[in-house]
Amino acid sequence: METMRQAFREHKGLWVLTAALIAAALGSCLWAMCRPGLWLRNTFLYQQKDGSFSGHDSHAAYSMTVTPTGEGAEVRFTLDDETRVYRICADAVGWDVPDVKIYQDGQLVFVGSAQGDPGDALLWGEDDGLADKVNVVVNGEVSRDDLWPSCTWLYNVAVGGRRQTRGTPQVLLLTVLFGVLLALDVRFPRLMWNLRHGLEVSGGEPTEWYYMSQKAGRVLFLFAMAASVVWGFFLH
C-alpha cells in the first residue's frame, strides 16, 4: 500500500497536469457550446460578429449571409468556392399557412406553403408532398448536391428566424452533477465511505486502499465531466 502511495506522489505532477488540461478543454467546450449559430445537418455554422455564419466538416467549408427583404429574405450560401443566391418570398410570418416561393439564382425552385411554428416549419409543395427529398447516405458517401441547404432549412433560417446554440442544456446538467459529486468527495473525503459502510460497522476506518481508489475516482469524475460536455457538443 505504501508503494502505491509513493507511486502516486511521484506522478503527482502528471495528475495535476492532466486535471488542468481536462479543465481547460472543459472550459473551451462550454464556451463553444454557448456560441449562437445554426445546425446544417451534422455541421454547426457559427454566427460571426458581422452576422454571417460559417463552418466546415469533412466534406466542405460553408458560409452564409442572410439579408431581410420586404417580401422575405435573400440568402447567399457558399459551398467551398461556389456561391448560390436564394430568394425566399413568403407571406407575413404568423399566418396559419403562409404561401412560400423560393428562387435559386433567379430560377423558381419551390412553390408551396409552410406549416408549423416559424423556425420549425415544414414546407409542402403544391402537390401536397414535402418540399425536400430524403437523402440516404451509403458508406458515408455524400454527393456534392446533397451538401447544399434544403428549401425547408432555408425558410426556417431566413424567414422563420431559427437560431441555435451548439450545446445541449440537458447534458450540462449531467456535467454539473459530476462536478457536485467531485466537490463533495474532495470536501468530505469520508462521506462516500460513511454512506456505503457507516451503518454496517462500528469504529471502522477506511484503508489506505480506499484513499488511493478515491484519488483515482476523482480523476474519473474529471474525465466523466469532459466526456459529458463533448457528448453534448455533438448532440442536437
Side-chain angles (χ1 to χ4, degrees):
M1 194 66 63
E2 186 61 31
T3 302
M4 295 181 63
R5 292 188 62 182
Q6 184 65 27
F8 178 81
R9 289 172 180 173
E10 291 177 356
H11 297 89
K12 185 177 180 180
L14 179 60
W15 289 113
V16 172
L17 177 60
T18 301
L21 291 175
I22 293 176
L26 187 66
S28 299
C29 286
L30 288 174
W31 173 78
M33 287 174 70
C34 294
R35 290 182 59 190
L38 295 164
W39 280 104
L40 175 63
R41 296 177 296 275
N42 292 321
T43 303
F44 194 77
L45 309 183
Y46 286 104
Q47 187 169 9
Q48 308 302 313
K49 292 182 178 180
D50 61 358
S52 63
F53 300 85
S54 63
H56 67 276
D57 56 20
S58 59
H59 304 293
Y62 313 92
S63 62
M64 178 183 70
T65 60
V66 179
T67 304
T69 64
E71 55 187 2
E74 180 181 276
V75 176
R76 296 183 62 88
F77 193 97
T78 300
L79 175 64
D80 287 336
D81 55 353
E82 182 180 355
T83 299
R84 292 181 180 179
V85 180
Y86 299 91
R87 185 162 57 91
I88 298 95
C89 304
D91 294 330
V93 176
W95 287 28
D96 290 338
V97 185
D99 293 328
V100 179
K101 292 182 180 180
I102 298 179
Y103 298 84
Q104 176 190 313
D105 296 325
Q107 181 179 355
L108 182 65
V109 294
F110 173 79
V111 178
S113 60
Q115 298 184 10
D117 296 330
D120 195 29
L122 288 176
L123 293 189
W124 294 85
E126 290 182 317
D127 59 355
D128 293 331
L130 288 173
D132 306 296
K133 64 180 181 179
V134 177
N135 298 320
V136 178
V137 179
V138 180
N139 297 326
E141 296 182 2
V142 180
S143 69
R144 186 174 178 84
D145 287 340
D146 293 338
L147 297 178
W148 292 97
S150 66
C151 291
T152 300
W153 188 86
L154 287 168
Y155 173 83
N156 284 317
V157 167
V159 180
R162 174 189 292 174
R163 296 296 181 269
Q164 299 161 299
T165 55
R166 178 153 196 172
T168 304
Q170 293 84 347
V171 177
L172 291 181
L173 295 177
L174 184 62
T175 306
V176 172
L177 175 61
F178 285 133
V180 170
L181 292 175
L182 176 60
L184 288 174
D185 190 55
V186 173
R187 180 63 180 83
F188 306 104
R190 296 184 56 177
L191 176 62
M192 299 301 176
W193 190 89
N194 288 332
L195 292 176
R196 291 170 56 187
H197 307 291
L199 298 177
E200 301 173 355
V201 301
S202 177
E205 293 289 336
T207 63
E208 291 294 328
W209 171 258
Y210 171 83
Y211 287 118
M212 288 297 300
S213 300
Q214 185 181 45
K215 292 182 174 65
R218 291 170 183 172
V219 176
L220 292 178
F221 271 127
L222 290 174
F223 276 107
M225 292 171 64
S228 62
V229 170
V230 173
W231 179 42
F233 195 66
F234 292 100
L235 184 66
H236 68 98

